[in-house]
Amino acid sequence: MNPVWAQRREEVWNDCLVSPDVFTQMVHRLGEFVVPYQHALETEVRGRHVHLYLQGLLSDLARKNAETIATFVDVERQVIQDFIGTVPWDHRPLVTVLVGQVADRLGEPDGIIAFDPSSFPKRGTHSVGVKRQWCGHRGKVDTCQVGVFRGYVSHHDHVVLDFRLSLPVEWARDEPRRQACHVPPEVRYHTRQAQCLEMLDEWRAQVPHGWVTGDDELGRHTRFRGELRQRGERYVLGVPCTTAVRDLEAPLPAYQGRGRPPKPPWQSLTDWRQALPGHAWTHLTVRDGEKGPVEIELVRRRVQTRIERKRTGPEEWLVVTRRPLSDDRLWESRASRDATDQDTCYRSQYYLTPTEGCEGAFTEPSLEELARVSKAGACIEASFKRGKGEVGMDEYQVRTWHGWHHHMALSLIAVWFLSGETHRGQQLTPALTLPQVRYGLSLLLLEVFYTPGVDSICHQVQRQLLRNESARFYHHRTRKCLPPRKLH
């Protein structure tokens, strides 16, 4: 082997040497971490339940729902189920603490606020907000719930901060279903764009940022882009490949000598891209990925789009990115079928960013800056992968409005703790990743809660038997027939 490669391999292997200090006192630090969140709640009992539920989310349970977590932390199942699913405590104080901690640790003037809807497939029809709709998780229309999430991306890390459950209009108007799922009376139907603006207005002053980004489900709405411009926000929003644009930098058609001077024609983004010459693209290396450098090609043009009633909208910069079809690494989310298009070699995605806001014209952003902001959507997708893969963000078994919000808030807090421990551990073990931190912590928690022996086995089996027999009893009672006892 070449000496240079051999030396680098040795350095890479040395980065994997795990110091015991990474995991020493981690359970104790979890107890200290949860204290501000406990104080944010109204009662001491709920604060204790927050700690227990977080321990369950951070454990190595196969399914992280209320029942399995109750078994793991040795608490009655009904206690945890009531805490998560039915007791109407307010989750927003927990989010306030989370936002403050993230702003202190990760906040920077050119940070990025990223909005991204995320779907949660469901089999039944009784969970709050569930319906057949576009499911980005499965890439098709399916039965699911959809939440609208607000993330934050800085040069140091990325994290999801706030969320709203998207309540479909048919749910908002169905009073029996609202009552069955405990939807508060003040909750009304809001579009996902309105929910994003609500979260932005609530937290924009507390979280330093220079950009707002989102996928084509948000960017296709001209009113949403207009609301951001009125707030003086710079955005990089995805738009569908079918969007009609007018290239303001294209040569004008020849003037025939009478009538109004001609203007560039309207074209779909796909047609416009296909007419670009090869030299128009700029090659950039965005970052160093796990499989090598992440590289894209970009082009930027000043354009106009149509708004309501086919009126001409304000000037905006169009940003088009493309990457080879052979590159299978996570780059952008796919909010709809027409979020991207492709030819024989490349997959392309389209964004719009404003040329001016409420306080005047913006300086023209560099291609490097536009590439950084446009990839923030991939960072939030990675945050969802952390939440769903490590702390059971999508493994809840609740049907109520409060249950969904409680589980989401505690899941984001659990990921935030893992993120902090990962950064701490990387000072000692540079190659350390968040899944390994969660794995080590799960083993430590197993030592805390698991007491091996026959008595423990009998206790756990008895809990399962009581659950099964209670369900059998109530099923018989519903049918008004006395359940027979099992034969000895």
Side-chain angles (χ1 to χ4, degrees):
M1 182 182 293
N2 185 293
V4 175
W5 284 93
Q7 180 181 357
R8 179 50 53 91
R9 183 181 66 176
E10 189 69 21
E11 294 171 350
V12 169
W13 286 357
N14 288 336
D15 289 344
C16 298
L17 297 178
V18 181
S19 169
D21 293 336
V22 173
F23 296 102
T24 302
Q25 297 294 316
M26 185 176 288
V27 175
H28 177 70
R29 290 195 295 274
L30 175 60
E32 294 180 340
F33 167 83
V34 79
V35 169
Y37 298 95
Q38 292 175 320
H39 291 166
L41 297 184
E42 298 176 354
T43 65
E44 181 179 351
V45 174
R46 293 178 188 171
R48 177 176 176 270
H49 292 162
V50 166
H51 194 187
L52 292 175
Y53 200 79
L54 286 177
Q55 289 172 318
L57 293 177
L58 295 168
S59 69
D60 204 26
L61 293 171
R63 295 288 295 176
K64 296 174 182 178
N65 52 55
E67 180 178 346
T68 58
I69 289 176
T71 302
F72 178 75
V73 300
D74 197 19
V75 175
E76 288 298 325
R77 172 177 58 91
Q78 196 64 43
V79 172
I80 298 297
Q81 286 184 336
D82 289 345
F83 168 70
I84 288 296
T86 58
V87 177
W89 53 272
D90 191 359
H91 70 280
R92 289 174 294 182
L94 300 181
V95 175
T96 301
V97 176
L98 175 63
V99 170
Q101 292 179 348
V102 171
D104 290 340
R105 188 189 304 176
L106 303 182
E108 54 189 20
D110 60 346
I112 305 166
I113 291 179
F115 294 108
D116 193 8
S118 184
S119 56
F120 301 86
K122 304 293 289 185
R123 293 183 178 178
T125 59
H126 299 289
S127 297
V128 60
V130 70
K131 65 168 290 189
R132 284 190 60 81
Q133 53 192 324
W134 175 259
C135 180
H137 180 79
R138 292 178 173 169
K140 63 178 183 179
V141 175
D142 205 348
T143 303
C144 64
Q145 294 169 301
V146 175
V148 182
F149 293 83
R150 183 183 68 92
Y152 186 72
V153 182
S154 73
H155 292 88
H156 306 290
D157 203 354
H158 49 83
V159 66
V160 179
L161 292 180
D162 200 2
F163 50 91
R164 299 286 189 275
L165 177 63
S166 179
L167 193 67
V169 62
E170 53 265 46
W171 267 86
R173 296 173 179 175
D174 193 335
E175 194 60 34
R177 297 177 81 184
R178 290 174 61 103
Q179 293 180 2
C181 292
H182 304 168
V183 179
E186 64 272 13
V187 174
R188 293 290 181 264
Y189 170 73
H190 292 286
T191 64
R192 295 172 189 175
Q193 295 76 31
Q195 290 177 317
C196 291
L197 292 173
E198 179 183 335
M199 288 187 282
L200 179 65
D201 292 339
E202 184 175 0
W203 300 115
R204 59 186 296 201
Q206 287 90 332
V207 180
H209 65 281
W211 294 90
V212 174
T213 187
D215 57 28
D216 69 288
E217 182 178 354
L218 304 175
R220 70 175 65 215
H221 292 270
T222 58
R223 287 188 178 181
F224 180 69
R225 305 202 306 267
E227 290 287 346
L228 292 179
R229 288 192 297 270
Q230 290 179 11
R231 289 165 170 79
E233 298 285 355
R234 302 191 74 175
Y235 57 78
V236 175
L237 294 174
V239 290
C241 61
T242 55
T243 304
V245 297
R246 171 184 284 164
D247 187 351
L248 299 181
E249 298 180 19
L252 295 177
Y255 181 51
Q256 301 298 326
R258 48 185 171 175
R260 293 182 178 180
K263 294 182 178 180
W266 292 101
Q267 296 176 285
S268 71
L269 287 176
T270 299
D271 294 338
W272 180 86
R273 175 189 57 79
Q274 292 174 345
L276 284 176
H279 62 80
W281 297 91
T282 301
H283 185 89
L284 287 177
T285 299
V286 179
R287 59 181 172 85
D288 187 24
E290 294 296 324
K291 298 182 181 180
V294 177
E295 300 175 336
I296 61 171
E297 292 181 306
L298 293 88
V299 65
R300 176 189 57 201
R301 289 292 179 85
R302 190 182 294 266
V303 300
Q304 286 180 312
T305 61
R306 292 190 185 276
I307 58 177
E308 294 81 3
R309 300 178 182 177
K310 295 186 177 182
R311 293 178 298 170
T312 301
E315 293 185 4
E316 295 174 280
W317 280 301
L318 169 67
V319 183
V320 186
T321 66
R322 72 178 186 182
R323 59 185 178 90
L325 293 177
S326 58
D327 187 356
D328 59 351
R329 288 170 292 190
L330 179 65
W331 172 249
E332 74 278 336
S333 60
R334 184 176 176 86
S336 64
R337 295 184 181 91
D338 55 0
T340 63
D341 65 358
Q342 63 187 49
D343 51 27
T344 57
C345 299
Y346 297 96
R347 177 178 291 109
S348 302
Q349 190 165 8
Y350 307 91
Y351 304 90
L352 289 174
T353 184
T355 59
E356 61 181 19
C358 61
E359 298 180 355
F362 293 125
T363 57
E364 185 172 358
S366 66
L367 291 179
E368 291 79 8
E369 182 73 356
L370 291 172
R372 180 182 76 90
V373 180
S374 64
K375 81 177 182 68
C379 294
I380 298 304
E381 288 294 321
S383 294
F384 288 140
K385 185 177 180 180
R386 288 177 178 179
K388 296 178 180 181
E390 302 300 329
V391 302
M393 184 179 180
D394 59 341
E395 296 176 4
Y396 57 90
Q397 291 182 354
V398 293
R399 293 181 174 179
T400 65
W401 174 271
H402 298 292
W404 189 89
H405 288 82
H406 295 167
H407 180 82
M408 288 300 151
L410 294 172
S411 297
L412 300 186
I413 293 170
V415 173
W416 176 237
F417 173 76
L418 292 177
S419 176
E421 286 297 308
T422 302
H423 282 283
R424 177 187 175 277
Q426 286 172 345
Q427 307 303 315
L428 305 170
T429 305
L432 192 67
T433 62
L434 187 142
Q436 275 68 52
V437 171
R438 207 276 310 161
Y439 171 74
L441 178 57
S442 69
L443 296 181
L444 295 174
L445 292 173
L446 194 62
E447 293 181 0
V448 172
F449 289 104
Y450 181 63
T451 54
V454 175
D455 291 341
S456 176
I457 295 173
C458 293
H459 179 64
Q460 299 299 335
V461 171
Q462 179 177 314
R463 290 171 62 101
Q464 296 173 13
L465 292 176
L466 284 173
R467 175 188 179 277
N468 295 342
E469 289 303 294
S470 296
R472 187 173 71 93
F473 174 83
Y474 285 111
H475 282 307
H476 280 75
R477 185 180 179 185
T478 301
R479 292 165 175 78
K480 297 181 180 180
C481 55
L482 193 65
R485 292 187 61 187
K486 297 296 179 67
L487 296 177
H488 293 283

